Amino acid sequence: CFVDAATKTYLEELGGMNMFIVHKDGHLETPSLTGNILPGVTRNSIIQLAQDEGRDVVENLLDRFTVCAGVGQLLGSDEEVR
């Protein structure tokens, strides 16, 4: 995954990939369309399928430190993310 050029903090996508985080409660989170991320058929299809299943989909800026800390918790790691 790639980070934004301005702050090197927020996760972004490239033309060949989409990123979704599935939370324990089943809702999905994906980077918002900030101008660097283009809307696409695959991204829209995943959002629509999730919503059709009754899942909430949240589009916002995804801070890489928060995401990595969450993954670390799932893996049982206490290491600090840099």
Side-chain angles (χ1 to χ4, degrees):
C1 202
F2 296 88
V3 294
D4 68 295
T7 67
K8 299 188 179 5
T9 301
Y10 299 105
L11 299 177
E12 294 190 344
E13 305 168 342
L14 286 177
M17 66 175 229
N18 298 112
M19 186 179 75
F20 289 86
I21 297 170
V22 181
H23 292 265
K24 286 183 181 181
D25 66 2
H27 84 274
L28 277 66
E29 197 169 4
T30 189
S32 55
L33 300 176
T34 60
N36 293 331
I37 299 172
L38 300 174
V41 173
T42 302
R43 182 179 188 278
N44 290 340
S45 296
I46 292 170
I47 290 171
Q48 187 62 57
L49 288 169
Q51 291 172 335
D52 289 350
E53 286 186 345
R55 296 174 186 251
D56 290 327
V57 178
V58 178
E59 299 179 60
N60 61 17
L61 296 176
L62 299 178
D63 180 305
R64 70 184 176 106
F65 301 106
T66 303
V67 172
C68 289
V71 171
Q73 287 177 351
L74 286 174
L75 299 176
S77 173
D78 292 329
E79 289 186 33
E80 184 178 328
V81 179
R82 296 181 197 136

